[in-house]
Amino acid sequence: MQTTLDGITVHEVPTDRLRANVIERPASGVPRRTVVLIHGNVSSSLFFQPLMLALPADVRALAIDLRGFGDSETLPVDASRGLRDFSDDVAGVLDALGTGPVRILGWSMGAGVVLQLLLDRPDLVDSVILESPVSPFGFGGTRPDGTILNGGAGSGGGAVNAAFVAAVEAQDTGDGPSSPRTVYRTTYVKTPDPDHEDLWVESMLTTKTGLDNYPGDSTPSESWPGFAPGTRGVLNTMAPTNLDLTGIVDIPNKPQIVWIRGEDDAIVSDATYFDFNMLGKAGVVPGWPGEDAAPPQPMVTQTRAVLDRYAAAGGAYEEIALADCGHSPHLEFPEVVLRVLV
């Protein structure tokens, strides 16, 4: 199938770190603004195409495939660096293109990549849009204040649905219970879009699997549920043992942040079933040791608390919570995201 929509161009951008695939909606004439879009886990730049095409003609839009996703080079992900392999790759692309500071949007895991870029290369960031972001404390395995529980037990590469990984490896385009199509329909959005669904599935199927990519490795743990994060691969980049983005509170120059989220997000919420501790509390995974030992992670509350600290330290942010919206506001309420972008 055709994966690049009319009006979108594709570039291979070589950098010192990797060969990156970048899609672009060029501006007409001299652009008044460049916006950069960073996708999340099990996806690629293809998910941003309708949004890019809807931007005003004088806005240049770039979307970058992260390593191991889309058509970018597949390289190992060193999760001991948190999300830095990804953010350093993004910085390399922006340096190669000579963009200067940009308005940058990150979706889900991509929002964490954007915050890591802000920490390490603030010269490249003009303003930030966080769409359905991973918590600044990582994904899973923390108390409300960010304290790591039991060495992060229940988070990282071991917290994946093995049947879903197998479906990605098999390039499954069907609608079985663990297929990418079903995961898109039930968790990426609240209301699926039949017009582009095949394209979204193709994007998800570009995810490269393995211990060095998705999902990554894990280590044994004496704490329930018996595994802890490893140091390789995608899911471990967001494990609380490897990721801490709260340093944004202390950076000297704080750009405006807009946080956009869906109130019906099934992936990032205060009670998501992607959190092993929530699965234990609900009785889906047996043996849960209880609320004191393994409470579910309140991801939205954690993000708000860190952004409140960011504002108190001299920054500014706006939270936009959308009713009847899932994990993908740019697909479900593109007019809201467009307004923020321009």
Side-chain angles (χ1 to χ4, degrees), residues 4 11 30-31 161 182 191 204 214 285 312 319:
T4 305
H11 308 284
V30 178
N161 179 343
T182 297
T191 304
M204 296 170 74
Y214 178 79
V285 178
E319 177 182 351

Side-chain angles (χ1 to χ4, degrees), residues 165-192:
V165 178
V168 173
E169 290 177 339
Q171 297 291 286
D172 181 0
T173 61
D175 58 1
S178 297
S179 69
R181 189 177 302 274
T182 297
V183 169
Y184 157 71
R185 290 173 176 174
T186 58
T187 66
Y188 279 38
V189 293
K190 183 175 183 182
T191 304

Side-chain angles (χ1 to χ4, degrees), residues 102 104 115 118 122 125-128 248 251-258 310 314-317:
V102 297
I104 187 164
L115 290 182
L118 176 60
V125 180
D126 173 65
S127 56
V128 170
I248 62 169
I251 59 176
N253 298 311
K254 296 180 171 65
Q256 169 78 18
I257 294 176
V258 179
Y310 181 85
Y317 84 94

Side-chain angles (χ1 to χ4, degrees), residues 17 38-39 66-69 75 77 81-92 109 113 116-117 213 233-235 237-238:
R17 293 183 53 80
I38 307 298
H39 67 81
L66 301 175
R67 63 171 61 195
F69 297 95
L75 294 173
V77 177
R81 305 183 70 231
L83 289 163
R84 279 192 171 92
D85 269 1
F86 295 130
S87 62
D88 286 351
D89 291 347
V90 170
M109 179 182 79
V113 174
Q116 190 65 64
L117 183 72
N213 295 103
V234 174
L235 291 187
T237 66
M238 295 177 283

Side-chain angles (χ1 to χ4, degrees), residues 161-244:
N161 179 343
F164 175 68
V165 178
V168 173
E169 290 177 339
Q171 297 291 286
D172 181 0
T173 61
D175 58 1
S178 297
S179 69
R181 189 177 302 274
T182 297
V183 169
Y184 157 71
R185 290 173 176 174
T186 58
T187 66
Y188 279 38
V189 293
K190 183 175 183 182
T191 304
D193 169 17
D195 292 340
H196 290 103
E197 183 172 284
D198 287 345
L199 179 56
W200 306 153
V201 172
E202 287 295 320
S203 175
M204 296 170 74
L205 290 174
T206 67
T207 302
K208 308 308 187 294
T209 58
L211 294 178
D212 283 318
N213 295 103
Y214 178 79
D217 65 348
S218 65
T219 58
S221 173
E222 295 182 358
S223 300
W224 182 91
F227 66 87
T231 60
R232 301 162 62 191
V234 174
L235 291 187
N236 291 309
T237 66
M238 295 177 283
T241 50
N242 296 320
L243 184 67
D244 180 358

Side-chain angles (χ1 to χ4, degrees), residues 55-178:
L55 285 163
D58 60 353
V59 173
R60 181 192 189 195
L62 303 168
I64 302 169
D65 285 335
L66 301 175
R67 63 171 61 195
F69 297 95
D71 288 326
S72 282
E73 189 174 359
T74 300
L75 294 173
V77 177
D78 179 359
S80 69
R81 305 183 70 231
L83 289 163
R84 279 192 171 92
D85 269 1
F86 295 130
S87 62
D88 286 351
D89 291 347
V90 170
V93 170
L94 299 184
D95 284 340
L97 295 176
T99 62
V102 297
R103 177 162 294 180
I104 187 164
L105 177 150
W107 171 36
S108 193
M109 179 182 79
V113 174
V114 167
L115 290 182
Q116 190 65 64
L117 183 72
L118 176 60
L119 284 167
D120 296 337
R121 288 294 306 276
D123 58 300
L124 293 173
V125 180
D126 173 65
S127 56
V128 170
I129 301 162
L130 305 177
E131 183 185 349
S132 310
V134 61
S135 165
F137 296 112
F139 199 102
T142 59
R143 296 192 183 279
D145 66 357
T147 302
I148 297 174
L149 290 160
N150 306 315
S155 67
V160 73
N161 179 343
F164 175 68
V165 178
V168 173
E169 290 177 339
Q171 297 291 286
D172 181 0
T173 61
D175 58 1
S178 297

